[in-house]
Structure formats: C-alpha cells, structure tokens
Amino acid sequence: MMQKKKNWFSSFLELALLVLFFIGILAVLTLPLWVKWYVEFHYGTFTLPLYIKMLVILYISGILAVASVWECHAILHNINLGKPFIMDNAKRLRRIAWCFLPIALTYFISMFLIPSPFVLLVGAAFAFGCAILFLLSELFRQAVQYKEENDLTI
C-alpha cells in the first residue's frame, strides 16, 4: 500500500475535532448552568418545567453529538494514516447515523413540548443528515469490499 503525505488541513481538522470533543464534554457537563441562565434570561424568570424539558432534550442531543464528533475524529485519524477505505470507517459512519436518528426523533417529539419552527428545523436537519450518513456508510462498505477483492487479485 502506498503511503501518502499527510495533508496539513486534514491533520488540522483531526486536531480540531479532538478539541471540539473535549469542549462538547465540558458543554454537556455544564448544561444545567447554561440552561438555567437561558431560561431566566429569555423568559425573565426561572420555570422548572421548561428547564427540565430543555435539559432532557439537550442531554440527549449533546451526548449523542459528542459521540458523533468522536467517531468523526476517528475516521479522520484513519484517513490521515492513509487508510480511508477500511471497514472501520464504514462502521463509524453507520454509528454516526445511528446517533443522528435519536437526535432527530427527540427534536420532532420536542415540537409538542417546546413549539418552535427552529426545533422542527433542527429535527429535519438531523433526519436528513442521518439518511445521508446511512447512504455514505453503505457506499463505504461496498467500496471496502471492492477494494479487498481487488487486493486479492494479482
């Protein structure tokens, strides 16, 4: 297998995703503080039922988003090692899609709890992203199979 020279931008993105992963963990851990501040600032007073609804929605989406960032980082790491078409990357794309699906469902259900067009748009964006990621994971899976079959041919 031919080893390619590392692309500086790809290396930068790998590092940026690692930093984003840790920022995401910090954001999820401090969600109660941020949500309390937001509810008080936006609504003028603290409302416990709204606070709890928002916290549940953001914990679900936050934890799954952090997991997705980690998977993206791992895919980019494999690419930077010169191994873009391996089954591990196809599986990771599929895992990201499975993370996006509950996020989309959470936001669609949230429309009944916190009615807002933005909640609907976030749900639609994650549903679309989920569909695209399932498609890409299948594309990668088949590309890996073709590559493995080709590697066995002399």
Side-chain angles (χ1 to χ4, degrees):
M1 175 186 251
M2 189 172 116
Q3 185 72 17
K4 291 187 178 181
K5 193 173 113 178
K6 259 190 180 182
N7 181 335
W8 71 269
F9 188 67
S10 186
S11 297
F12 169 76
L13 283 178
E14 183 182 348
L15 179 63
L17 283 170
L18 187 61
V19 170
L20 188 60
F21 173 74
F22 288 111
I23 290 172
I25 290 173
L26 183 63
V28 168
L29 291 175
T30 59
L31 263 177
L33 300 172
W34 291 106
V35 173
K36 184 178 184 295
W37 172 83
Y38 175 79
V39 169
E40 287 174 350
F41 176 78
H42 189 68
Y43 295 96
T45 183
F46 181 75
T47 314
L48 187 62
L50 179 63
Y51 172 77
I52 291 172
K53 290 174 192 174
M54 290 180 83
L55 210 51
V56 168
I57 293 164
L58 292 174
Y59 267 127
I60 292 169
S61 56
I63 291 168
L64 292 169
V66 168
S68 297
V69 168
W70 179 255
E71 295 295 341
C72 287
H73 170 266
I75 290 170
L76 216 47
H77 181 72
N78 286 337
I79 290 169
N80 286 337
L81 291 176
K83 303 184 294 185
F85 295 108
I86 57 173
M87 200 55 77
D88 185 52
N89 285 346
K91 289 177 183 176
R92 288 182 186 280
L93 284 169
R94 191 167 198 79
R95 275 187 228 134
I96 297 168
W98 280 113
C99 285
F100 275 32
L101 185 60
I103 294 173
L105 293 174
T106 298
Y107 280 91
F108 286 138
I109 292 167
S110 298
M111 274 298 301
F112 301 105
L113 304 173
I114 306 170
S116 165
F118 297 112
V119 173
L120 180 64
L121 288 175
V122 170
F126 275 97
F128 181 71
C130 175
I132 295 294
L133 284 163
F134 274 123
L135 184 140
L136 284 175
S137 72
E138 183 58 22
L139 182 68
F140 260 71
R141 188 188 67 73
Q142 287 186 24
V144 169
Q145 285 178 338
Y146 290 139
K147 180 187 171 294
E148 288 172 354
E149 287 173 12
N150 251 356
D151 288 346
L152 296 175
T153 308
I154 297 178

